[in-house]
Amino acid sequence: MEKQSSKKKAQHWLIGSGSNSLKSKQVMDLITKINDKNGLGNSGGNHAILPPHLVRKKADGGQRKENEFMDEVLGLILDSEKRPTKTQIEKIAAKYGITDKTEAKELTELAIVEEARRRASGAWDAREAMNEILQLYAIQPNLSQRDSISMMLQQYSTPAPIAYLLGCYVGLQDLAKTGGKALEPSAGNGMLTIASPRRDIFTVNEVDTFRRGNLARFDYKSVTGFDASKPIGDWSKAFDAVITNPPFSKLIKREQTSYGPFKIKDLDHLMAIHALSYMQDNGKAAVIVGGHTTYDEKDHVQMGKNRMFLGYLYHHYNVEDVINVDGDLYSRMGTKFDIRLILVNGRNAVLGGLPPKKSESSETVNSYEALTDRVLGLIPSEPPVPLRPKDSGRYPKESIAIALQLEMEMLALEMEMEADKAKAKAKAKAARARLLLLEKDN
């Protein structure tokens, strides 16, 4: 009886909370209490254990059916003249015994993640990859299905175009070549890793069991389930690149944290600070947080939580840019919440620095074209042609043949140009000879 009342209390609290006012730390405390009552104990460290009624389980043989579902739904997305509807996707899911609507949405997203990675890895440069990913984003279904778990964990995944640009900024293509180390501490289904043609440079962390199971299908270097709202000591300054989109929500008062004069009141701000602590001194990081930066009448960052958070960041890190992004660019992921992209290039050698005053760059970016120019403009040279992924089975032989044919055509064109040069030289020589004859005659 006691277990049932705890379950009802948890579900009522989770469902009854507004998406932007959810106090995620309070949820984790509640889960701990329920774990104790249900005799689940603790896994050690800060691993999150969800109570049984909040854990999504896979049936026997489920992964094979899920793979078949993902293949069919991706085919629907790529071949349909119109964007697939949620009803169409759920109908296909039911055919494979997938009756949980949120699972169908998560698997659809996973299929989109891997298609986006394929497009990014197959492009000749970053702008071509961006165009390919934007085309995919334009035809993907709206991923708006949510349940009590996704509400609790504030799971709004990153749009593929934004994920790709942030991956370019932190240099995932170069790390794939050199075997560097990258971290995604709130990984979801892996969208923020798509700019890397290799998954095995990534440590991916995800508290949700179903999403973590999705990540475990692939060859990531490590898949973990830590509570990323708490510091993870073993990761301190361990990664060349950190990229993350933490859940947007408020901290209850007793969970708010001060770092010297900087008081942190939001969960996404706290998780961003932890994530940045895992970056090497000369590493790069890209972080997404909720809301826009606003300014007072003197053009300083508005007093309050944003001034505290940005003050901390500029004090400790070389913040290259903070970009206000219109929520419409996020709409296919189930929300139109305004966001900021925070781009960090290493730590400050000497502590100090303040958030800059309002300027032209403070204006909200309303298009992917403008966002592409803004982010790629911060990269010294745009990312080169990436390596092919290890699991290149996704690339048919015909694609390789086309690439080779293009190379041959380019070579033939160069030879033709060289031949033209030789012809031009011969013509010039003949003209000079005729001119000498004319001079002699005169």
Side-chain angles (χ1 to χ4, degrees):
M1 197 67 180
E2 186 173 328
K3 290 181 184 178
Q4 177 144 7
S5 64
S6 297
K7 174 178 175 179
K8 284 182 178 177
K9 180 180 178 184
Q11 289 179 325
H12 172 76
W13 194 90
L14 298 171
I15 295 170
S17 299
S19 62
N20 293 328
S21 62
L22 187 64
K23 298 174 175 62
S24 297
K25 294 290 288 180
Q26 191 173 20
V27 176
M28 297 309 294
D29 288 343
L30 183 57
I31 286 174
T32 301
K33 290 177 184 176
I34 296 171
N35 284 341
D36 292 341
K37 288 183 180 180
N38 289 336
L40 294 176
N42 195 307
S43 63
N46 63 349
H47 275 79
I49 301 180
L50 301 181
H53 65 282
L54 291 180
V55 174
R56 304 190 186 106
K57 297 178 180 177
K58 296 183 187 295
D60 292 340
Q63 186 162 316
R64 178 180 57 79
K65 291 180 179 179
E66 289 173 356
N67 290 342
E68 291 171 356
F69 163 72
M70 287 191 290
D71 284 343
E72 184 166 342
V73 83
L74 184 58
L76 176 68
I77 292 169
L78 299 179
D79 297 337
S80 296
E81 292 183 3
K82 295 182 179 179
R83 193 164 61 246
T85 64
K86 187 169 69 171
T87 303
Q88 285 177 295
I89 290 170
E90 289 169 0
K91 191 173 180 180
I92 296 172
K95 187 168 77 172
Y96 294 101
I98 302 167
T99 56
D100 185 302
K101 293 179 180 180
T102 302
E103 288 185 15
K105 186 267 287 185
E106 295 292 338
L107 292 168
T108 300
E109 182 185 314
L110 184 62
I112 292 168
V113 167
E114 291 310 308
E115 174 63 14
R117 189 191 311 279
R118 185 191 71 79
R119 291 180 179 224
S121 299
W124 294 109
D125 59 30
R127 290 181 183 273
E128 183 187 332
M130 191 61 181
N131 287 336
E132 287 287 323
I133 291 168
L134 281 169
Q135 289 174 24
L136 176 64
Y137 187 64
I139 60 176
Q140 77 166 61
N142 288 327
L143 301 174
S144 56
Q145 176 63 38
R146 305 187 77 210
D147 65 3
S148 58
I149 302 177
S150 53
M151 287 174 65
M152 176 188 72
L153 301 177
Q154 285 293 274
Q155 293 170 330
Y156 288 116
S157 298
T158 311
I162 293 177
Y164 178 73
L165 288 174
L166 297 188
C168 288
Y169 173 76
V170 300
L172 294 184
Q173 292 96 337
D174 289 336
L175 293 182
K177 287 184 175 181
T178 61
K181 295 190 293 183
L183 171 69
E184 218 292 38
S186 50
N189 287 307
M191 186 68 84
L192 279 165
T193 71
I194 62 171
S196 173
R198 287 175 51 185
R199 301 182 197 88
D200 62 356
I201 66 168
F202 260 101
T203 294
V204 286
N205 183 73
E206 175 54 45
V207 70
D208 178 85
T209 52
F210 189 82
R211 288 180 163 192
R212 192 161 68 244
N214 287 345
L215 295 169
R217 297 166 182 263
F218 301 104
D219 60 340
Y220 291 105
K221 183 177 182 180
S222 179
V223 179
T224 60
F226 294 113
D227 174 4
S229 68
K230 298 176 182 177
I232 301 163
D234 291 347
W235 289 353
S236 179
K237 296 188 179 182
F239 297 93
D240 302 290
V242 176
I243 186 167
T244 187
N245 178 9
F248 309 154
S249 61
K250 298 176 182 178
L251 292 167
I252 57 173
K253 194 167 185 178
R254 66 185 176 84
E255 296 292 354
Q256 294 173 6
T257 305
S258 291
Y259 294 89
F262 307 106
K263 188 167 186 178
I264 304 304
K265 296 184 176 182
D266 282 3
L267 179 64
D268 45 334
H269 297 177
L270 178 66
M271 291 176 70
I273 288 171
H274 289 325
L276 288 167
S277 73
Y278 310 138
M279 180 190 75
Q280 293 178 3
D281 287 342
N282 61 347
K284 297 187 81 172
V287 180
I288 300 173
V289 296
H292 285 169
T293 304
T294 56
Y295 298 85
D296 61 21
E297 66 281 357
K298 294 182 179 180
D299 290 337
H300 295 294
V301 175
Q302 191 76 43
M303 182 75 76
K305 63 181 184 181
N306 283 317
R307 184 184 286 188
M308 289 288 104
F309 173 57
L310 292 174
Y312 176 90
L313 295 188
Y314 278 91
H315 187 72
H316 290 86
Y317 298 97
N318 174 29
V319 181
E320 281 202 289
D321 206 351
V322 177
I323 308 173
N324 289 332
V325 177
D326 191 274
D328 281 344
L329 272 62
Y330 221 97
S331 59
R332 296 284 162 80
M333 310 310 291
T335 183
K336 286 191 177 183
F337 202 68
D338 290 338
I339 60 166
R340 277 167 293 177
L341 310 183
I342 299 173
L343 307 179
V344 174
N345 189 359
R347 278 183 175 77
N348 290 336
V350 179
L351 293 181
L354 294 169
K357 296 178 73 173
K358 186 177 181 181
S359 65
E360 263 187 54
S361 66
S362 309
E363 297 300 318
T364 300
V365 173
N366 298 301
S367 71
Y368 275 114
E369 182 181 5
L371 187 62
T372 300
D373 289 342
R374 179 93 167 251
V375 176
L376 295 185
L378 294 170
I379 303 171
S381 60
E382 290 189 11
V385 178
L387 298 172
R388 295 290 186 183
K390 279 186 173 181
D391 53 340
S392 56
R394 294 297 297 273
Y395 297 89
K397 290 180 180 178
E398 307 89 79
S399 298
I400 298 170
I402 290 169
L404 289 172
Q405 183 182 345
L406 286 170
E407 284 187 32
M408 290 173 67
E409 288 177 3
M410 290 292 291
L411 182 60
L413 183 61
E414 288 176 9
M415 291 173 69
E416 187 178 329
M417 290 172 67
E418 287 298 319
D420 285 346
K421 284 180 186 176
K423 287 179 184 176
K425 284 180 180 178
K427 286 180 181 178
K429 188 175 181 181
R432 280 196 296 272
R434 286 196 300 272
L435 182 62
L436 287 170
L437 286 172
L438 286 169
E439 287 176 349
K440 283 181 181 179
D441 291 341
N442 292 326

